[in-house]
Amino acid sequence: MHVNLWPGMFRYVFRGTVYMLLFSSWTGSSCKSARLVQDANSVRQESTSLREQISINNDWKFFRYTGEPDKLIYDVRPEVTDRNDNVVADSRPTESVAVNASSQVLKNWILPSGNDFIADPAKQHQRPQGKPGADFPFVQNNFDDHNWESVQLPHDWAIKGPFYSEPDAIVGGGMGRLPVHGVAWYRRKLDIPAADKGKVIYLDVDGAMSYTMVWLNGHLVGGWPYGYNSFRLDLTPYINPGGDNQLAIRLDNPTNSARWYPGGGIYRNVWLTKVNPVQVAQWGTFVTTKNVSASSATVDVVVQVSNKSDHEQQIEVITDIFTAGEKVATIPASAVILKAGATHKSAGSVILQHPQLWGPPPTQTPNLYTAVTHIISNGKPVDEYRTGFGIRALTFDAVKGLLVNGAPVRVQGVNQHHDLGALGAAFNVRAAERQLEILRELGCNAIRLAHNPPAQELLDLTDRMGFLVIDEIFDNWERKKTPLDFHLIFPDWYEPDTRAFIRRDRNHPSVIAWSFGNEVGEQYTAEQGAAIAKKLYDIVKEEDSTRPATASMNYAKPGMPFPAVMDILSLNYQGEGIRDAPAYQQLQGIRTSPLYPAFQQQFPGKMIFSSETASALSTRGTYLFPVFEGISAPVGEGTGGSGKLQQVSAYELYTAAFGASPDKVFASQDKHPYVAGEFVWSGFDYLGEPTPYYSARSSYSGIVDLAGFKKDRFYLYQSRWRPDYKMAHILPHWTWPERVGAITPVHVFTSGDEAELFLDGVSLGRKKKGPYTYRLRWDSVVYKPGVLSVVAYKNGAVWAADTVRTAGEAAQLQLIADRDNIRADGKDLSFITLRVLDGAGVLVPRAGNRIRFEVSGPGEIVATDNGDPADLQSFSSTVRKAFNELAMVIVRAKPGTTGPIKVTAQSPGLTPAQVILNAP
């Protein structure tokens, strides 16, 4: 399949956000591929009196029920039972809501909110008569909410904890052991000047978890059940310009509704958008490119214009194209008579000479353009709308893999969940940027969004930093994975959710393909499941025919009808084989031989890639003995795992029951060079799904731990993904007083092709990588204290070196800030690493000292962490045990303040440390 396109991105109007952009090189730990700084309180005006988007993130009041919630329910849910079929709803009031005399089921008032994304007018919903909830106190303008908690958005009500540690917790390990469940309300006054009379005023919600229902001045405006989709509601009919305007938002998060930590609350940005009645529709532009080359490219722009006035309008649509602030082209005006209440799509094209192409670093540059669309109504400017885009050509080749602008690009990707570790689901630009910077240092060039639409700002980042993105919307369809997940609302919402998802993200150049399902149960239902897949596929292609559409498959086989629906073949674990290696033979479950050849034979014209690989497990800095002699084994008690410690050995050989080590995955892909690449499960550890120890809080599968510290596996992937980067890495650490005289295997990850290992200067042998081997092993080393070092070679020449040495007792602390200067906007962050050192400055690898963090000056601690999946200390605590020598404190400046911020770390018996931040 060949695709020329590339819608772009900035996200219209930058969503009220001010950005600063800096570029630097790919390599090095200080890599800053893009620097984005957010001012969430800014007002961005497209042009005078035409379009205004205002952040309303500040000054919210928040209340969450601790007992029985109100009965303003979206719909009746099924009862949830325990393993003995006992109903558990009595002790979990938000899981199941029975209909009684006081219940108000509001579904029929909410469904019309999706009408703009339902193609067949006959299937759109009619709003019933009545004002449900109008008499409820929380929606009243005069309700006294001064005792409610004051919060700023984005807000995740659950992340501060406490964690649930009991075995039968209401929220278990799967959803992160945090209080995400319940019903909550947010209230805020809106300032709507009298001068806004005659304008159309929208509420734009980037993400709220979940079953959102919105009232304004006592009127139910609408809502949106799916917690990951962005949505818009028209507030205009209910506004009192110049008067009192009270916004009230109800959220409802069921337990048993997710397989991972979903977060709770209005966890993304919220905006007021003010426009004239004749306007560009929501996400109403679509920019594509074709005939792309270094010499020229055709830019096609489609603009959907809405006339929300009460009379006919004569309109013109003109679009200017800019890059680097310079206008480079204009698409001439197109004119149309637009009836009252009607919409119209205006299309135009222009050929750009010598375009600046968008492509992934390090071999290409992510250049961006902006299309500025002007709407003229009856000779008067009425709207101005910005759309970012990129110009590029993509080819999805069944043999050559992915080509970007004609050049082959190996997909070196990871899967990422939406949480930001200790910050939870509440989106923060800097936290997301830091994750991408660490992944860029790894050599990662692609992100698969697992398994839901992301924050729009994340795609702004991937556009500017040049990451390739698989944008995904659903983890399940009609067949449930948890009792109260999306399957309950799929029949009503699959179409509006899918269309809204595509329209929002289709102009991002980083998005290279759509995924409309992940490991869905419909893989098991043959033609019936394939029919649902085709229904979703058709919707995706109606919205965007320029990108391939797919759904990931962990079960569907080449001869089944399900994969035949897909443009490209997205395989989870099947390419490398599932439970097919000798160490996995005793396990129960799906057993699959490597299926790359079978899929290629069945679908010779379709590109194949692995949308999930590995699911290797490890705990940073933990090494358990004995060490498996092969290359891949499932975690078990005494074989890479310790249930007592809730830790998995970091020799990076151990996996989930269905998984494979990186070594096994690399070999399989190298044996099948037509495979376009992989997305590793996962880039970072994430909250919830803590396989194999469900009494823990977070996953073990990341290449990087939850705090952002690199596991040993980071260097194994780096050695493969950055073959020209001179690096070598030794594991394990070399401080084992209890192992003197015991065999302690030493492994080396290097981008070189051979290496020599030394202990106290004495060679332990020189080894060379053989075919399909990706690490060098010295499995018979006898431990004694000292200095362990390695010299790596490539093509016979010295390439890189690494050293580890035996540490003494912990004696001192060290603090290292990722950034010394931060903006005083309450959003920008500094991530500060604490290290425990001995008297000579050597890291103490198993240090677990209790650390107290303090801040003086105009700053505050946001959260602390240490990367230990089993640590149930609240993230909001300023006291944190170091874990295997490290801990993390996250600091921000108080809004509107200036001056130095002093961060101090102390621990009994150790020399304290401090670092100074500046908030200019």
Side-chain angles (χ1 to χ4, degrees):
M1 170 180 294
H2 184 269
V3 176
N4 278 323
L5 158 217
W6 297 116
M9 237 1 278
F10 291 81
R11 168 179 174 216
Y12 120 74
V13 133
F14 305 134
R15 304 287 296 181
T17 298
V18 174
Y19 294 113
M20 291 168 44
L21 179 62
L22 301 176
F23 290 97
S24 67
S25 66
W26 168 288
T27 61
S29 60
S30 62
C31 168
K32 306 288 182 186
S33 298
R35 178 79 205 97
L36 284 173
V37 180
Q38 183 184 43
D39 178 2
N41 301 314
S42 65
V43 177
R44 177 66 180 233
Q45 192 169 308
E46 290 295 298
S47 59
T48 304
S49 302
L50 296 186
R51 177 176 287 264
E52 189 176 19
Q53 189 167 56
I54 304 169
S55 168
I56 55 170
N57 282 348
N58 293 338
D59 303 323
W60 288 85
K61 290 291 190 175
F62 169 74
F63 169 80
R64 176 173 172 260
Y65 291 96
T66 56
E68 188 73 18
D70 60 69
K71 301 299 182 182
L72 296 172
I73 63 174
Y74 172 79
D75 200 3
V76 180
R77 298 192 190 110
E79 291 182 335
V80 176
T81 59
D82 62 19
R83 66 186 65 183
N84 297 316
D85 292 328
N86 297 313
V87 176
V88 295
D90 290 343
S91 61
R92 297 159 168 79
T94 61
E95 283 190 351
S96 178
V97 181
V99 177
N100 56 41
S102 63
S103 296
Q104 295 188 61
V105 177
L106 306 184
K107 173 181 172 179
N108 290 336
W109 281 267
I110 303 302
L111 286 170
S113 301
N115 279 348
D116 286 347
F117 304 96
I118 298 175
D120 184 354
K123 294 181 180 179
Q124 295 177 357
H125 303 281
Q126 298 299 314
R127 183 183 173 101
Q129 296 296 314
K131 296 175 61 179
D135 57 350
F136 188 69
F138 295 175
V139 310
Q140 305 301 317
N141 294 46
N142 59 0
F143 175 74
D144 184 0
D145 58 16
H146 79 275
N147 287 326
W148 288 18
E149 182 183 358
S150 296
V151 300
Q152 313 300 315
L153 307 183
H155 176 241
D156 179 351
W157 77 53
I159 193 58
K160 290 183 178 180
F163 286 98
Y164 296 111
S165 59
E166 60 270 25
D168 60 345
I170 185 171
V171 180
M175 290 176 67
R177 297 193 166 273
L178 286 163
V180 295
H181 62 297
V183 173
W185 285 82
Y186 291 80
R187 283 171 49 90
R188 188 193 194 277
K189 295 290 186 181
L190 300 180
D191 180 18
I192 310 294
D196 286 337
K197 186 175 181 179
K199 291 187 177 181
V200 180
I201 300 179
Y202 297 110
L203 177 72
D204 287 328
V205 179
D206 286 356
M209 190 66 64
S210 54
Y211 288 95
T212 308
M213 298 192 289
V214 177
W215 282 261
L216 181 67
N217 297 329
H219 298 271
L220 178 60
V221 180
W224 204 280
Y226 190 37
Y228 292 106
N229 258 40
S230 302
F231 62 93
R232 164 175 284 184
L233 298 176
D234 188 354
L235 302 181
T236 313
Y238 313 108
I239 280 176
N240 298 319
D244 185 25
N245 290 279
Q246 179 64 55
L247 189 64
I249 300 178
R250 183 189 191 272
L251 302 182
D252 182 1
N253 256 14
T255 56
N256 298 290
S257 61
R259 297 190 298 121
W260 56 83
Y261 177 77
I266 305 177
Y267 68 103
R268 293 177 184 164
N269 293 316
V270 179
W271 315 85
L272 280 185
T273 300
K274 303 178 181 181
V275 288
N276 289 311
V278 177
Q279 60 193 253
V280 176
Q282 183 186 16
W283 306 315
T285 57
F286 189 18
V287 183
T288 59
T289 61
K290 61 189 178 186
N291 304 322
V292 173
S293 69
S295 59
S296 67
T298 301
V299 178
D300 296 324
V301 180
V302 177
V303 180
Q304 183 174 345
V305 184
S306 297
N307 179 9
K308 293 185 177 291
S309 73
D310 57 5
H311 57 279
E312 184 176 271
Q313 302 274 353
Q314 180 175 343
I315 66 166
E316 292 180 284
V317 180
I318 305 170
T319 298
D320 296 322
I321 307 296
F322 292 81
T323 186
E326 178 184 355
K327 185 164 74 171
V328 294
T330 296
I331 297 177
S334 62
V336 67
I337 302 297
L338 195 57
K339 294 182 178 179
T343 62
H344 170 74
K345 287 185 178 180
S346 172
S349 296
V350 68
I351 296 176
L352 294 184
Q353 302 298 324
H354 307 292
Q356 300 297 305
L357 302 185
W358 187 100
T363 58
Q364 301 187 46
T365 303
N367 296 297
L368 293 170
Y369 284 78
T370 305
V372 181
T373 298
H374 310 270
I375 307 298
I376 313 298
S377 178
N378 297 326
K380 178 183 177 182
V382 293
D383 199 6
E384 181 178 298
Y385 190 93
R386 293 173 180 255
T387 307
F389 68 98
I391 299 174
R392 66 178 184 188
L394 296 186
T395 302
F396 298 86
D397 191 277
V399 176
K400 298 178 181 178
L402 176 66
L403 286 78
V404 182
N405 302 319
V409 174
R410 183 76 180 172
V411 176
Q412 299 176 168
V414 300
N415 287 270
Q416 287 286 91
H417 267 295
H418 76 299
D419 74 76
L420 294 169
L423 302 177
F427 189 79
N428 180 277
V429 170
R430 173 55 197 159
E433 181 192 37
R434 171 180 176 257
Q435 288 191 339
L436 292 176
E437 288 171 353
I438 292 169
L439 292 173
R440 173 56 48 81
E441 183 187 350
L442 172 69
C444 172
N445 64 7
I447 308 293
R448 176 173 175 251
L449 299 167
H451 304 286
N452 45 259
Q456 298 186 61
E457 293 88 351
L458 180 63
L459 295 181
D460 294 342
L461 283 164
T462 56
D463 289 342
R464 290 167 173 80
M465 297 175 75
F467 283 89
L468 309 170
V469 172
I470 304 293
D471 206 353
E472 188 163 78
I473 182 169
F474 297 134
D475 187 50
N476 62 279
W477 302 339
E478 291 181 345
R479 294 172 69 87
K480 66 184 178 184
K481 292 183 179 178
T482 59
L484 300 179
D485 62 20
F486 186 76
H487 82 280
L488 296 177
I489 56 175
F490 181 86
D492 291 323
W493 287 93
Y494 73 86
E495 182 181 0
D497 272 319
T498 303
R499 292 189 190 279
F501 159 69
I502 301 292
R503 288 184 205 175
R504 192 198 73 169
D505 294 350
R506 62 189 175 182
N507 290 315
H508 283 276
S510 55
V511 176
I512 64 169
W514 306 112
S515 175
F516 53 88
N518 171 68
E519 297 183 354
V520 295
E522 282 75 5
Q523 292 175 95
Y524 296 83
T525 59
E527 286 78 8
Q528 180 183 0
I532 297 173
K534 183 61 163 62
K535 183 164 56 176
L536 289 166
Y537 172 90
D538 288 344
I539 292 172
V540 172
K541 302 304 278 192
E542 286 170 13
E543 293 293 330
D544 178 15
S545 62
T546 65
R547 290 177 175 88
T550 190
S552 68
M553 298 171 285
N554 67 328
Y555 171 79
K557 302 300 184 289
M560 295 179 179
F562 193 91
V565 175
M566 312 305 161
D567 290 328
I568 54 180
L569 299 174
S570 174
L571 304 182
N572 285 10
Y573 310 107
Q574 296 199 88
E576 295 77 28
I578 300 174
R579 299 184 181 91
D580 68 313
Y584 299 77
Q585 292 304 307
Q586 79 283 6
L587 302 179
Q588 300 297 312
I590 296 171
R591 196 175 307 279
T592 304
S593 300
L595 287 180
Y596 288 139
F599 272 101
Q600 188 197 41
Q601 183 177 5
Q602 183 72 25
F603 301 101
K606 293 186 178 184
M607 190 189 84
I608 300 172
F609 70 101
S610 273
S611 41
E612 289 183 26
T613 62
S615 198
L617 308 175
S618 62
T619 307
R620 175 189 52 79
T622 296
Y623 307 94
L624 304 178
F625 303 93
V627 176
F628 181 62
E629 295 180 355
I631 65 167
S632 187
V635 172
E637 195 66 23
T639 55
S642 168
K644 179 180 179 180
L645 299 175
Q646 298 180 80
Q647 295 181 2
V648 179
S649 178
Y651 273 92
E652 310 299 3
L653 297 167
Y654 305 99
T655 77
F658 54 84
S661 71
D663 309 63
K664 183 174 184 283
V665 172
F666 296 163
S668 182
Q669 295 217 341
D670 285 347
K671 292 172 184 176
H672 306 99
Y674 51 84
V675 177
E678 65 173 317
F679 291 87
V680 179
W681 193 268
S682 56
F684 276 65
D685 281 344
Y686 54 94
L687 290 167
E689 209 171 16
T691 304
Y693 303 119
Y694 270 73
S695 55
R697 68 180 191 190
S698 53
S699 76
Y700 294 74
S701 58
I703 297 171
V704 181
D705 76 16
L706 196 73
F709 300 135
K710 301 163 187 172
K711 299 182 184 180
D712 291 283
R713 204 180 329 149
F714 181 97
Y715 302 97
L716 180 55
Y717 280 98
Q718 188 181 62
S719 70
R720 175 173 173 85
W721 286 355
R722 296 179 62 184
D724 296 329
Y725 178 56
K726 295 182 178 182
M727 57 79 62
H729 175 78
I730 298 173
L731 67 130
H733 61 76
W734 210 241
T735 304
W736 299 101
E738 77 280 16
R739 296 190 62 79
V740 174
I743 291 177
T744 305
V746 176
H747 292 191
V748 171
F749 304 149
T750 179
S751 51
D753 51 33
E754 60 182 316
E756 187 171 9
L757 186 69
F758 299 87
L759 180 56
D760 289 338
V762 177
S763 176
L764 301 182
R766 182 162 168 166
K767 295 179 180 287
K768 187 177 181 67
K769 290 180 182 176
Y772 306 117
T773 59
Y774 306 93
R775 67 174 75 200
L776 296 169
R777 302 174 65 147
W778 287 260
D779 285 333
S780 301
V781 177
V782 175
Y783 176 78
K784 69 171 184 175
V787 177
L788 190 68
S789 59
V790 69
V791 177
Y793 299 83
K794 196 163 191 175
N795 298 323
V798 172
W799 179 252
D802 190 30
T803 298
V804 295
R805 63 187 68 240
T806 303
E809 295 295 320
Q812 58 183 315
L813 304 177
Q814 181 184 49
L815 289 175
I816 302 173
D818 71 330
R819 294 160 60 245
D820 295 329
N821 296 299
I822 58 176
R823 289 169 57 93
D825 58 3
K827 301 291 183 182
D828 198 11
L829 302 173
S830 181
F831 291 81
I832 303 171
T833 298
L834 175 129
R835 308 201 306 172
V836 181
L837 310 175
D838 69 7
V842 177
L843 282 165
V844 182
R846 289 188 286 182
N849 303 72
R850 187 177 178 85
I851 313 297
R852 178 176 295 279
F853 296 101
E854 296 178 350
V855 170
S856 61
E860 57 189 352
I861 293 173
V862 180
T864 62
D865 192 14
N866 57 18
D868 178 6
D871 187 348
L872 300 186
Q873 177 73 35
S874 169
F875 289 126
S876 63
S877 175
T878 58
V879 176
R880 174 76 52 187
K881 289 183 66 176
F883 178 68
N884 290 342
E885 78 192 25
L886 300 175
M888 172 70 64
V889 59
I890 306 170
V891 175
R892 67 184 168 208
K894 295 177 181 178
T897 62
T898 59
I901 301 168
K902 183 168 74 172
V903 183
T904 303
Q906 302 180 67
S907 183
L910 304 185
T911 302
Q914 71 175 39
V915 66
I916 303 295
L917 308 178
N918 296 302

